[in-house]
Amino acid sequence: MSDGGPEESGGAVGLPSRRRRPTPMSQWDPTARLSYWAFHANRRPAYMRFAYLQLGSDAAAEEAVDATFDSIMGDWLRMLHMDRLDAYAWTVLKHCLVDRQHRRHPWQQEPEPMDISAFEAALKEAHADQYEVLTDTIRFYSAVSRLVERQRDAVLLRYGLQCTPGEAASVMGVDEATVRSHLGQAHRRLARLLDTSADPSEAAGAAGPAEPAEPAGS
């Protein structure tokens, strides 16, 4: 790992301590500036959509994502030497989301998905009765909120934002096989959680679309 790069701790990429004043962008070389703005343009839309799922407000999502890119900009020259730049940036976003959530709801321990319209739309395909859709949506939302962080991220990106496993992997800064593993674990966990609050026939409809079994290298 390069000096100043992220470190692993429990599956999360750690944030380096701020010891030096960031170099102003005006002093960056043209290649560094171009690479930062390319990353910004590529990642901001997905970050905004994910932040909205977590915070449930356009204004709160924009504030969190702006803070994320401010932090990334301050570390960009150092990040260019990191082996897992995308994973580091994803961790910065998650820290900013937790910070904004704590400011809005100090009693809540961590962000939970707020916008469940994508899950509700998927469930409508399986149920004609609107009450069943509402009931299953609430049950599924509650179950998703109980997943471990990486599994919840993968589920939100895959089904909340309609990302492919490859796209989710790129945003999270991990391998596609890792995302598929998180999704597989999440499906099994959701099935168990939903089985405790509904009949098996109901849980099958509420657990969301099954991820097709494909070889990790496909």
Side-chain angles (χ1 to χ4, degrees):
M1 185 65 65
S2 303
D3 290 342
E7 297 179 354
E8 295 283 355
S9 176
V13 180
L15 299 177
S17 59
R18 299 297 187 109
R19 298 176 182 174
R20 296 175 294 180
R21 185 184 300 273
T23 303
M25 183 180 283
S26 60
Q27 298 178 20
W28 295 6
D29 64 65
T31 301
R33 287 198 297 271
L34 181 62
S35 64
Y36 171 80
W37 288 117
F39 180 85
H40 183 281
N42 183 267
R43 290 288 179 261
R44 186 177 177 88
Y47 283 12
M48 281 293 299
R49 292 162 62 202
F50 185 84
Y52 181 79
L53 281 177
Q54 295 282 2
L55 301 175
S57 160
D58 287 332
E62 185 167 10
E63 181 180 322
V65 173
D66 284 346
T68 297
F69 280 104
D70 284 346
S71 181
I72 290 173
M73 181 187 295
D75 276 335
W76 186 251
L77 297 183
R78 181 166 39 181
M79 288 173 65
L80 289 175
H81 299 285
M82 293 180 181
D83 294 333
R84 300 180 60 202
L85 184 152
D86 280 302
Y88 177 87
W90 182 251
T91 301
V92 174
L93 172 65
K94 298 302 294 293
H95 275 256
C96 289
L97 290 174
V98 170
D99 179 65
R100 292 310 182 276
Q101 190 75 359
H102 283 175
R103 291 186 186 185
R104 299 171 69 212
H105 306 292
W107 60 88
Q108 189 167 315
Q109 293 302 309
E110 59 182 40
E112 294 184 352
M114 301 291 292
D115 181 1
I116 56 175
S117 58
F119 302 124
E120 184 176 6
L123 291 170
K124 284 181 179 178
E125 298 179 2
H127 295 287
D129 185 273
Q130 292 299 309
Y131 178 77
E132 288 186 15
V133 171
L134 177 61
T135 301
D136 286 346
T137 299
I138 294 172
R139 185 182 301 125
F140 185 58
Y141 161 76
S142 177
V144 169
S145 72
R146 294 171 62 186
L147 295 173
V148 298
E149 182 178 357
R150 287 299 177 119
Q151 293 174 12
R152 185 171 63 243
D153 288 354
V155 167
L156 290 176
L157 288 168
R158 179 72 179 94
Y159 301 118
L161 303 187
Q162 302 300 310
C163 292
T164 66
E167 291 168 342
S170 179
V171 171
M172 293 176 68
V174 298
D175 296 332
E176 182 174 340
T178 300
V179 169
R180 290 187 181 277
S181 175
H182 289 325
L183 289 171
Q185 294 168 6
H187 292 153
R188 292 189 290 273
R189 173 68 171 157
L190 287 172
R192 290 195 296 271
L193 291 172
L194 293 170
D195 277 342
T196 64
S197 59
D199 293 334
S201 59
E202 294 178 348
E211 189 68 21
E214 298 180 15
S218 62

